[in-house]
Amino acid sequence: MKPGPKRSLSGDVIVTAALKLLDERGGDAVSVRSIASEVGVAPNAIYTYFPDKVAVLRAVVDRLIGEQSLDVLADTGIPWRQRIHEVGLGLRKRLLDHPGATKLLLGAPMDGPRALEFGERLLDLLAEVGLSQEDAARASYLLIVYMLGSIALEAAELDPKMPAPPEKERINTRRKAFEAVPPQVFPRTAASTEVMAAYISTEQYVWGLDRVLDGLS
Amino acid sequence: MKPGPKRSLSGDVIVTAALKLLDERGGDAVSVRSIASEVGVAPNAIYTYFPDKVAVLRAVVDRLIGEQSLDVLADTGIPWRQRIHEVGLGLRKRLLDHPGATKLLLGAPMDGPRALEFGERLLDLLAEVGLSQEDAARASYLLIVYMLGSIALEAAELDPKMPAPPEKERINTRRKAFEAVPPQVFPRTAASTEVMAAYISTEQYVWGLDRVLDGLS
DNA sequence: ACCTGAACACCGTTCAAGT
DNA sequence: ACCTGAACACCGTTCAAGT
């Protein structure tokens, strides 16, 4: 094969290929070599666009965060809590569509451009609502920790090779797991099987978000 | 070399070796082969005690969670908020001592025996405080999400090969990073540099924990 | 049951060389 | 500047065989 410029390659193309592999074949299948073969290029061509493999994966995470539109946050026609609900639920949905990628979420600092944008728009809203600059900054971090933490914990239970099954099915799976908890050793855990199983529900996610918002006001 | 039983090996010995490598040489240096050579055994001997590599790493995480004593949670002589503070701060300290291991925290479900024990003791306390069974279950999950989420996000910025530097130093590093944020694009983020830098402080951790606790009561 | 040697099918990354 | 081929120093895991 002849070398020479192809111009078919770019950072975006590489990120897209990595995400596709992550979704279709899971985290273990994503290698520099598999990404390269997916885009039809030699493995080391990747290094023209990224310094190393982890940089590619970080770009994948930032891409997913950027997929969530933040426009609602600025929509003063909607009550502010509801705006946060909408963005929080949207982010969760988008991330859970890519369980393989979501597992990488909290392994690296959230310092990508899309993550910064997310924080900035949250600060806008919190300032509008009347929080001081300092409280707004602290609150935005708390909200991000809550959202990403619960989404990551939720994604950890999903098969990275498959799109997430419907919520009911996921709760059933968890219920079975908790029914195996020995009641003599963990009486309260065993007694709350139903609630434990529903930890990963949309309802519990919103409940937690509301408790955090209650704590802020 | 002769094969034959050695009896020097056990799951615990393997976990200890893995944690040592994680601390001294970082996540990339932890391989089945390096663990095996650390304990003086052939690589495939590991598979007598664990089904695969990720099982070893999960056991490392559960070991660290188990290191935090939960006795304070049951000490009715201390105000309940303070009990949660103590356990939360203790867990944070213990995990941040092992940044390499902490990065693995939210990549797998929290279903180890020590994690279950943690949840159960939290349920005890929340029931004592007067929460209904359902609210207690939801609240314990919220608290765990908050603690693990902020600890993981904090650990993501640390060099896995080194013990965490003192807090002041870590805040200085972050401040420098945030001073590079362009104020035209992210005005609020840039204006709050000082608070953003302090996201990883003990004080912000406790502040967030208190907001969550406020939301619960 | 517990361990070994050898092998299989891979990795991430570097380097010199081609256009 | 952008890409290739070839190589280096590794991986996780399996399998048959020894005690």
Side-chain angles (χ1 to χ4, degrees), chain B residues 9-20:
Chain B
L9 208 52
S10 72
D12 262 354
V13 170
I14 291 167
V15 168
T16 303
L19 184 55
K20 190 187 172 194

Side-chain angles (χ1 to χ4, degrees), chain A residues 57-69:
Chain A
L57 295 175
R58 285 222 240 171
V60 170
V61 169
D62 202 54
R63 150 96 58 101
L64 289 179
I65 291 185
E67 271 184 8
Q68 172 58 41
S69 161

